[in-house]
Structures are given as C-alpha cells and as structure tokens.
Amino acid sequence: MGDKQQMEAEGAECDRKELLNKRAVSVGEKKIDLIEERLGNIEEVLLELKSSLARNSNTAEPCYHVTPASKQMSPDTSGFASNTTAALEHESGTGFEGNSSLAAHSAYASAFLETVVSRSAPQVSTPKINAALAALRQIVNMQSQPPGSSSKDVPLPNQKSCRGSNLRDLVMPPIEVVLPILRQIKENIPLAFACYFPFLSVDDFIQKCREVYFATEDYSDATFMVVNCGLYHIFLEYSFLAESPRIRDDYQKYIQLCRKNFETVLASLTLLMPARSELIEALTLGAIHAIETSKPSFAWTLTSNAARLCQNLGYHRSSSMSQFSDNEKVKALSLFLCVYCLDKALSLRLGRASSIQDFDIIITIPEDLGGFKVDEPWRTMYHLWVKIAEIQGKVYEQLYSPAALSRPERERVLCARQLASEMEVAVMEPFKVGIPWRSSYHKGSFLIDGSLGARKVVTSSIGD
C-alpha cells in the first residue's frame, strides 16, 4: 500500500513538472512572438521614415507674376567665393558627426537592442528575429554611409537651374492674391512670424514685398529670399485654414512656387558676403528651411556664416550697439538670439563645437523679443528657447565634447544630473505653468504641443 501511494505521488510530481514545463514553453513562445512583433513594428516604422525622407516633390507648377531684376549681393567676390551649392552637394557626404549626434545614438540603440534580444532568448533565436535585426542594422548603417551616386543628385529638389543673374526670370504669386493677404497679416500676425522667425516684423516684411512687387530700383537677393520664405509660410498656414477646395489648391501652387524661388536663390548665394542685417535674416531663414528639409549639415553651414556676420556687426556685445535705437537694438538682439538657438541645437545634433561661445557674449536680453510686440505664449517661449539653447551648449561641453569624455564617468554623471535639474527648474516648470495658454490661443495649440514634445526630447538627451 505504501509503495502504491509512493508511486502515485511520484506520478503526480511528474505530471506537475510536465505541466510546468509546458507552461514555461508556452510563456517562452509568447515572449518570442512578442519580440518578433515589436521588432517588426520597429522595422516598419524605420522603413516608412526612410521612404518618407526620400520622397521629393518635383511637380512643376505654373508661374504667375514675373519679378523685376534682382541685384546680386556681392558681385565683386563671386569670382572666388565658395558657392552654396557645393555645401548642399556635400550634405549627403561623410560629414563629421560627434558623440552627441543622432547617428551615434542610433548605432548605440541598435547595438543595445541586439544585446537585449540575445540575452533574453539566446537559445531560441529565430530566423525572423535575425532578419529583423539585420534590417534594423542596415537602416542604421545608412546614416553613416553615403549613397554612391548622392553627390550627383540635386541637393534641393525644388530649386530651378539658375546661372549668373538669371534670378530676374523667377516668377511670383499674382499680386492680386498677395495684396489682400498683406492687409490681413497686419491685423492677424501669422504663426510663422511669431514662432519660426520672431526677428522679422510684419511691417518690415510688407516693405520688402513692396520692394519686390513694385520695384523702382534694384533689390537684393536677400530681400527676394525673405519675401518668398515669408509668403511660403503664410500660404502654408492659410492652406490649412481655407474651406474652399479651389482656394486650397491655389495656395498649394503658390507654396510650391515660393519654395522653388527660395531654394533657387539659396543655392546661388555666395558665402563671402558683406556683414548686413538682411543677409543674416536670409541665412537664418535658409538654416530653418534646411532643418525642415532634413539637411542639418547645410543648416550648420548657413548658421555658422550667420553667426560670423553677427559677430562682425557686434550683435554679441551690448557695448557695440550703444549707438543703435531701441527698435534697432531689439531687432538685432532678436536676430542674434535666433542664430544662437540654431547654433546650439545643431551643435548638439551634429556633435560639433558651437560657433558662438557663451563666454564671448555680453548682452542684456530684453523682455520683449521679436520684431514686434507679441502676446503670450510667445513672449515667454522666446526666453525659454534661449534658456534651452544655453543648456544645450552646456550638454555638449560638459557631457559629449572630447574634453568631457576624458573626465571620469562619476564627474559626468554629476554634471548630467545638475543639467537635468537646471532643465526642470528653468524650462519645464515654467512651460508647464504656461500650458493653459492653448485655451486662449487655439490656432497655435499644435505648435505649443510640438514645442512641449521638443522640450521632452531635450530633457531626455540630458538624462539624470
């Protein structure tokens, strides 16, 4: 009887172990399926992103208004000045990117993912998982290996071929469409003027439009660039607000037309140019456009030149602007600080030392930044952008620069925590207080949400 009970107990124990093994296998299979599913999702997202970045709009659009002759900015230097097109063609080359660049972070993330997967289920590596990892590895490697024929591709897909002074042949949206819009923006400031280029006032922009559309004398390429970039963003905003499909389609045509004009002039700029405020505006608008079209190295080239011109004019020192009027000083500071923000952001993005160093700046930031009097949320957001740029500069200097990487890890961890704390106190908390702004400025709510997302990305890059 005892033997029978012992045999039954042993049988029950065997059944229990077998059941546990089956459950373990089932759980393991579910984990494998989950890993495969997640890897597949990541692969699809990256492939979709790669395809969207490669898509270009080359559809020709009709032209409506021929502009008068455009004066070249610096003809005396055109014989030996480097052309902007060369910088554009270099965009897809092997430009240096440091430890804070997205390429470096992507490579680290890919290696980390492979390590996690191999450690999670080393004994059950499936062909599907291996194929997904190989695809991810290939996509990441594309960031550091330029395509073989990329140097022959058109760097700005919408630009027209333009040699010498042929810019006078470029056309503009019809005057009968532009004039009513110029009257409207005097009453309602476009979001682009408040968000993307606060250094450009609506009054100054309208004056530049007059110089182009009612030219009594030659105007510069910089003026032509500012007009086309401004109209591009205005038509872009109005196309979202238009209720009529016909009007929306017309705005889309004008958007493409202005973009072609802007990119054509941008590709024909000479880099040896005189230090003038309007040229800094044109370079800054070009840098913003380059960032929007995923050309960070070209944006870096434009921003670096804008920073050089700012320093030539003394915009980084209050003492050099003592003879400026109050309006001139605010405009100069707004322009300089926009260049400063771009410089620091691109420095961290590309892993390169910034062109403008904080120890070389002595200015007093006015309460009202921008080329016009602005309301909330923009008045506060301008100051937050400057503070973010300052922290971005510290992140590169203290965490990613060669000097920082040579320091002990313990010191860099301490710096990271201090910067994260500064980011939280100086940027995130004031921004959270400003979230209710959206209820009083509904048209800009999507921009505010985007700005909040950008701040979260910056905070994540600092770490704690």
Side-chain angles (χ1 to χ4, degrees):
M1 187 69 178
D3 294 338
K4 184 178 180 181
Q5 290 178 346
Q6 183 177 357
M7 291 177 62
E8 290 177 353
E10 291 176 354
E13 180 67 19
C14 290
D15 292 340
R16 187 178 68 85
K17 289 181 178 180
E18 184 178 357
L19 180 61
L20 290 175
N21 288 335
K22 289 182 179 180
R23 289 180 179 177
V25 171
S26 177
V27 172
E29 290 176 349
K30 290 181 179 179
K31 287 183 177 181
I32 294 173
D33 293 339
L34 183 60
I35 291 173
E36 291 180 346
E37 180 182 357
R38 290 180 175 177
L39 284 174
N41 291 338
I42 295 174
E43 183 182 2
E44 290 176 4
V45 170
L46 289 176
L47 288 173
E48 182 180 352
L49 178 61
K50 176 176 176 290
S51 300
S52 64
L53 292 177
R55 248 181 256 123
N56 291 319
S57 174
N58 295 314
T59 305
E61 298 294 345
C63 303
Y64 300 92
H65 185 90
V66 180
T67 60
S70 174
K71 181 180 178 181
Q72 297 296 318
M73 290 182 294
S74 52
D76 55 324
T77 63
S78 60
F80 55 88
S82 299
N83 195 281
T84 308
T85 306
L88 280 164
E89 291 177 348
H90 180 68
E91 177 66 38
S92 56
T94 55
F96 171 79
E97 294 192 6
N99 293 289
S100 64
S101 65
L102 290 182
H105 283 79
S106 298
Y108 173 81
S110 177
F112 178 78
L113 179 60
E114 290 189 57
T115 302
V116 170
V117 171
S118 61
R119 288 180 179 177
S120 299
Q123 74 283 4
V124 288
S125 180
T126 66
K128 188 174 181 180
I129 290 180
N130 292 334
L133 288 174
L136 290 174
R137 193 183 305 111
Q138 182 181 9
I139 294 172
V140 171
N141 288 339
M142 288 178 182
Q143 299 183 6
S144 58
Q145 296 179 359
S149 61
S150 61
S151 61
K152 301 179 181 179
D153 295 339
V154 178
L156 288 175
N158 293 288
Q159 76 178 75
K160 295 181 181 179
S161 175
C162 188
R163 302 293 181 185
S165 59
N166 289 340
L167 294 178
R168 70 185 63 182
D169 297 329
L170 297 177
V171 294
M172 296 288 291
I175 186 65
E176 58 269 19
V177 174
V178 173
L179 279 180
I181 290 180
L182 295 181
R183 297 189 186 100
Q184 294 177 32
I185 65 175
K186 294 190 71 172
E187 302 297 329
N188 299 295
I189 298 175
L191 289 178
F193 284 73
C195 181
Y196 288 119
F197 29 93
F199 52 84
L200 180 62
S201 69
V202 169
D203 290 338
D204 287 344
F205 174 73
I206 292 176
Q207 177 59 34
K208 292 181 185 297
C209 288
R210 291 195 187 103
E211 295 176 13
V212 172
Y213 278 97
F214 306 101
T216 57
E217 57 185 18
D218 289 342
Y219 53 85
S220 68
D221 292 351
T223 297
F224 189 72
M225 284 182 64
V226 171
V227 169
N228 276 277
C229 186
L231 290 176
Y232 166 81
H233 285 280
I234 292 172
F235 283 126
L236 190 62
E237 178 180 335
Y238 278 35
S239 68
F240 285 110
L241 302 177
E243 296 180 357
S244 168
R246 182 185 61 81
I247 295 178
R248 191 182 305 114
D249 291 341
D250 288 342
Y251 285 163
Q252 288 296 326
K253 295 177 183 179
Y254 305 146
I255 288 170
Q256 294 301 320
L257 180 62
C258 291
R259 177 172 177 175
K260 289 177 181 178
N261 289 345
F262 180 75
E263 291 185 352
T264 299
V265 184
L266 182 62
S268 67
L269 285 179
T270 54
L271 298 184
L272 296 180
M273 52 185 67
R276 296 208 302 265
S277 177
E278 67 169 1
L279 295 179
I280 302 175
E281 289 180 357
L283 289 170
T284 304
L285 293 174
I288 294 172
H289 182 71
I291 292 173
E292 289 182 339
T293 54
S294 301
K295 296 184 179 297
S297 292
F298 182 47
W300 174 264
T301 300
L302 297 173
T303 302
S304 298
N305 278 275
R308 173 178 59 82
L309 297 183
C310 283
Q311 290 171 318
N312 286 350
L313 293 175
Y315 287 177
H316 62 308
R317 302 285 179 85
S318 295
S319 58
S320 63
M321 294 185 285
S322 58
Q323 303 301 319
F324 288 16
S325 66
D326 291 342
N327 289 336
E328 290 174 338
K329 186 178 296 184
V330 170
K331 182 176 180 179
L333 288 174
S334 300
L335 184 55
F336 170 74
L337 289 173
C338 187
V339 174
Y340 173 84
C341 291
L342 291 172
D343 180 51
K344 296 300 182 181
L346 289 168
S347 169
L348 190 60
R349 162 66 176 82
L350 295 173
R352 306 174 188 176
S354 60
S355 302
I356 305 173
Q357 300 299 324
D358 288 351
F359 59 75
D360 197 39
I361 301 174
I362 304 177
I363 60 174
T364 301
I365 301 177
E367 181 180 353
D368 287 325
L369 285 173
F372 46 86
K373 299 295 182 181
V374 294
D375 298 322
E376 298 293 4
W378 308 112
R379 182 184 292 111
T380 299
M381 290 180 70
Y382 293 160
H383 290 270
L384 293 181
W385 287 337
V386 175
K387 187 61 182 178
I388 288 176
E390 180 184 339
I391 295 175
Q392 285 175 320
K394 293 179 180 179
V395 169
Y396 176 79
E397 179 184 354
Q398 299 179 21
L399 300 182
Y400 291 106
S401 67
L405 294 174
S406 66
R407 297 165 59 187
E409 182 178 354
R410 176 174 52 83
E411 294 183 13
R412 288 190 289 122
V413 170
L414 179 61
C415 289
R417 290 175 176 171
Q418 291 174 345
L419 290 171
S421 176
E422 182 179 358
M423 183 73 180
E424 181 65 28
V425 173
V427 177
M428 295 306 296
E429 289 183 2
F431 188 79
K432 290 175 183 176
V433 174
I435 289 296
W437 292 335
R438 288 181 295 179
S439 60
S440 60
Y441 201 84
H442 64 279
K443 286 176 59 180
S445 61
F446 68 97
L447 290 173
I448 296 175
D449 290 338
S451 183
L452 178 60
R455 280 153 180 75
K456 290 181 178 179
V457 171
V458 174
T459 304
S460 300
S461 70
I462 292 175
D464 58 8

